[in-house]
Amino acid sequence: MSRAARLLDLLQVFRRYRHPVSGAALAEELGVSLRTIYRDIEALKAQGAAIDGEAGVGFVLKPGFMLPPLMFSEDEIEALVLGSRWVAERADQPLGAAARNALVKIGAVLPPDLRAGLDDSTLLVAGGSPLAAGESELPRIRDAIRRQRKLTIAYADVNGASSERVIWPIALAFFDRARVIVAWCELRNDFRHFRADRVIRLEVETNTYPHRRATLMKQWQAKEGIALRSRQEKEQSMLTRIDSIKQ
C-alpha cells in the first residue's frame, strides 16, 4: 500500500470516531505499527489536518479536512459508478442527472490514473421499470421530505378505491418494481407506505409537520425492524403490506 493510500485510510478511520481513539486501536485497525501511526498523524498535521491529542491519551480529527487531491480506491470508484448508473435508471430525471453531474465533478479532481476508472468500469445496471405517470411528482416529494413539509394526496389503493390524506413524508424508497413514500398518515394516526405510482394528485403544504424527520425515522425503523432484515426481505415485506393492508 502506498503512503498516500495509507494516509487516506487513516483519515477515513478518524472520521468514524467522534471521540478520541488510541494510537494502538488505529494501528490494529489499519494493520500497521504504532510507530507508523504516529508518523502518519504527524504527516497529516503537516498537510493541515486538525488532529488533537497525544500518545497515551488518544487522537481525534476535527471535521472539515480533505486530503488533496481527492482520492478513491478502485473499489470505491466502481461503487460510485455503479451507484450513479443505478440512480440514473431507477430515479426521476432530475436525480439521475444529478448523479451523472456528480461523477463529472469527481472525475475533474481525480488523478489521471484514477479518472480513467470512471469511464472504464465494467459494472452495468439493467434497465429499471419506467416511471409511471404518478411518479412524475418524485422531485416534489423529495423536496417536501428535505423541507419537512406536509403533503395532501389523493391516493388509490390496490383495488382502485381512492381517498384523500394529509401525510408527513420522511423517506422515499426506490425498489426495482416501485417507488414508495414512507410517511406518517394523519388519517390513520400511524406510519403508512404509499406507492408513488398510485398518487393521483399531490399538493405540498406550506406548513411543516410538528416533529423532526430524524425522530420520525427512528420511530419508523423501530416499528418496522428495518435493521434486522435483508434488502430483499424489506422490499418484499413493504410491497406486500402496501397491497394487503387497509391504507
Side-chain angles (χ1 to χ4, degrees):
M1 177 185 295
S2 68
R3 185 165 183 262
R6 194 176 68 242
L7 292 177
L8 181 61
D9 286 347
L10 179 55
L11 277 177
Q12 296 299 93
V13 172
F14 264 128
R15 291 190 175 108
R16 295 202 299 268
Y17 291 93
R18 295 185 178 181
H19 304 289
V21 55
S22 69
L26 294 171
E28 181 178 0
E29 183 162 351
L30 293 175
V32 298
S33 69
L34 184 58
R35 182 178 179 181
T36 297
I37 287 294
Y38 290 152
R39 187 168 59 242
D40 287 350
I41 287 175
E42 292 305 315
L44 289 174
K45 286 182 177 180
Q47 296 195 49
I51 299 175
D52 291 339
E54 59 185 52
V57 177
F59 302 89
V60 63
L61 173 68
K62 293 183 178 179
F65 177 74
M66 175 57 69
L67 181 67
L70 185 62
M71 295 179 65
F72 296 96
S73 69
E74 291 181 349
D75 283 345
E76 289 169 338
I77 289 175
E78 288 201 325
L80 288 170
V81 172
L82 184 62
S84 68
R85 289 174 178 173
W86 194 97
V87 171
E89 289 289 343
R90 300 299 199 282
D92 53 84
Q93 191 278 331
L95 198 58
R100 290 187 288 270
N101 290 340
L103 270 187
V104 171
K105 292 179 180 179
I106 291 171
V109 295
L110 281 175
D113 58 328
L114 294 179
R115 189 181 308 137
L118 292 177
D119 298 323
D120 297 340
S121 176
T122 56
L123 302 182
L124 306 177
V125 174
S129 302
L131 295 182
E135 294 180 315
S136 62
E137 297 287 7
L138 290 179
R140 295 178 67 200
I141 296 171
R142 290 192 289 106
D143 183 63
I145 292 172
R146 283 194 296 265
R147 295 192 293 154
Q148 301 186 157
R149 296 293 181 86
K150 293 184 179 183
L151 294 176
T152 297
I153 64 171
Y155 187 77
D157 65 17
V158 66
N159 298 316
S162 62
S163 61
E164 188 160 309
R165 326 293 188 87
V166 176
I167 63 174
W168 311 348
I170 61 172
L172 191 57
F174 289 81
F175 297 129
D176 288 341
R177 293 178 292 143
R179 291 82 185 170
V180 176
I181 308 165
V182 179
W184 177 268
C185 177
E186 292 189 355
L187 178 65
R188 301 303 182 195
N189 196 36
D190 200 357
F191 291 106
R192 286 291 187 271
H193 306 133
F194 301 92
R195 287 183 55 143
D197 58 341
R198 295 179 184 162
V199 174
I200 303 169
R201 187 180 67 257
L202 177 149
E203 295 180 11
V204 180
E205 303 297 335
T206 57
N207 54 322
T208 60
Y209 40 81
H211 302 291
R212 293 179 61 248
R213 182 179 64 248
T215 300
L216 293 170
M217 277 292 294
K218 289 180 180 178
Q219 293 173 354
W220 172 70
Q221 289 173 335
K223 179 180 178 181
E224 297 296 316
I226 293 300
L228 302 179
R229 301 201 195 111
S230 68
R231 177 184 178 275
Q232 292 81 2
E233 289 174 329
K234 285 187 288 184
E235 176 175 354
Q236 185 59 46
S237 174
M238 184 179 290
L239 294 181
T240 298
R241 282 185 288 112
I242 290 171
D243 288 342
S244 63
I245 67 174
K246 183 180 180 181
Q247 291 285 348

